[in-house]
Amino acid sequence: MTIDKETVEKVAHLARLELTESEVQDTMKDMSKILDFMAKLNEVDTTGVEPLVYMTTGANVLREDVVKQQITHEEALENAPKHDEDYFLVAKVIEK
């Protein structure tokens, strides 16, 4: 299957890409190669083959969330460049 210039320009527009003429030509070749490869894959007989969902047979193993170290409020504020007795002080970023 071949891709024409209009198709590449439409895809580029949808992707918000600005392509030069040489990039359009290169993209036409690349997209044609991709579609040719997909056509080859469609020729493969996959009857009786289960779809692959995971690459491994192992189940997703999750660890238990455990608090390993707690610091006090004062210790947290110790390393802050600016703070008052209760809070970190940061530069104002939103103007009213």
Side-chain angles (χ1 to χ4, degrees), residues 49-68:
V49 177
E50 290 293 318
L52 180 66
V53 178
Y54 299 106
M55 295 301 293
T56 62
T57 57
N60 192 7
V61 180
L62 300 175
R63 66 172 171 80
E64 196 67 32
D65 283 335
V66 178
V67 176
K68 294 188 178 185

Side-chain angles (χ1 to χ4, degrees), residues 22-83:
S22 66
E23 289 173 329
V24 169
Q25 296 301 319
D26 291 341
T27 304
M28 285 171 49
K29 292 175 193 171
D30 291 342
M31 289 176 76
S32 292
K33 287 179 185 178
I34 291 169
L35 290 178
D36 290 342
F37 182 72
M38 295 306 296
K40 272 189 182 176
L41 287 177
N42 286 334
E43 295 172 7
V44 176
D45 182 20
T46 57
T47 54
V49 177
E50 290 293 318
L52 180 66
V53 178
Y54 299 106
M55 295 301 293
T56 62
T57 57
N60 192 7
V61 180
L62 300 175
R63 66 172 171 80
E64 196 67 32
D65 283 335
V66 178
V67 176
K68 294 188 178 185
Q69 178 185 2
Q70 288 184 335
I71 61 174
T72 65
H73 191 80
E74 291 77 24
E75 289 172 328
L77 291 172
E78 246 175 41
N79 292 321
K82 293 182 181 178
H83 62 86

Side-chain angles (χ1 to χ4, degrees), residues 1 18 47 87:
M1 179 175 192
E18 289 185 26
T47 54
Y87 302 103

